[in-house]
Structures are given as C-alpha cells and as structure tokens.
Amino acid sequence: MNKNELISSIASSTGLTKTDSAKALDALVASITKSLKKGEEVRLVGFGTFAVTKRAATTGRNPRTGAAIKIPARKQAKFKAGKALQDSVN
C-alpha cells in the first residue's frame, strides 16, 4: 500500500474527504517526526513505538576498491510493533 492508497482507505473508513484525510496523515507524520527529532519516543498503544537509537561509528570496506572507510556515528529511527499489531498479523 502506498500513500495514496492509504489516504483513500482513511477517507472511506472515516467519511472524510481525500483532501482532509491527506492533511490528517501529513499531520500525523509531521508530529511523529518532530517528536523523534527532539529525541522523544512516540507510543501508540496497540500499534507500536517509534524511537531514536544511536548507532556507533564503525569501519567498513569500499566493495569496489577494498579500501577501509569510516562510517560515522548517527541516530536512526526505529519502529517496534506492539503486541496487538503482531497478534493481528499472525
């Protein structure tokens, strides 16, 4: 499912227009992104948790030349599915 299909699904489930559904989806994504930038977790009970983790710096290899390269430390967004979501999928 892509974004347009998700918007259509939201519109048909809620009775909102596709424009309003798109605005709601964009607002949800923006709110989650804003919280993750602040380093906060976003917990949606029954769905899952969005969190930011830190990846340590590592040394990698350039596959073409075999030369060692440094991969810098960085933050990474992670999602952990909640129990209700996992149970509904399985």
Side-chain angles (χ1 to χ4, degrees):
M1 176 179 282
N2 63 29
K3 186 176 179 179
N4 288 332
E5 293 169 342
L6 181 58
I7 290 169
S8 295
S9 176
I10 292 169
S12 65
S13 296
T14 61
L16 295 172
T17 64
K18 286 187 179 182
T19 304
D20 289 339
S21 297
K23 287 179 185 177
L25 181 60
D26 290 340
L28 173 69
V29 171
S31 296
I32 291 171
T33 302
K34 185 177 178 181
S35 293
L36 292 177
K37 282 183 180 181
K38 291 180 184 177
E40 300 172 349
E41 280 189 350
V42 178
R43 292 180 188 221
L44 303 173
V45 177
F47 184 69
T49 303
F50 296 91
V52 176
T53 60
K54 293 181 180 178
R55 285 183 38 190
T58 59
T59 303
R61 296 256 174 225
N62 182 336
R64 185 174 293 170
T65 64
I69 56 171
K70 291 183 182 180
I71 301 171
R74 61 183 292 175
K75 294 179 184 177
Q76 182 173 7
K78 298 259 183 168
F79 175 75
K80 182 178 179 186
K83 185 172 179 3
L85 179 61
Q86 287 179 344
D87 290 345
S88 68
V89 171
N90 291 323

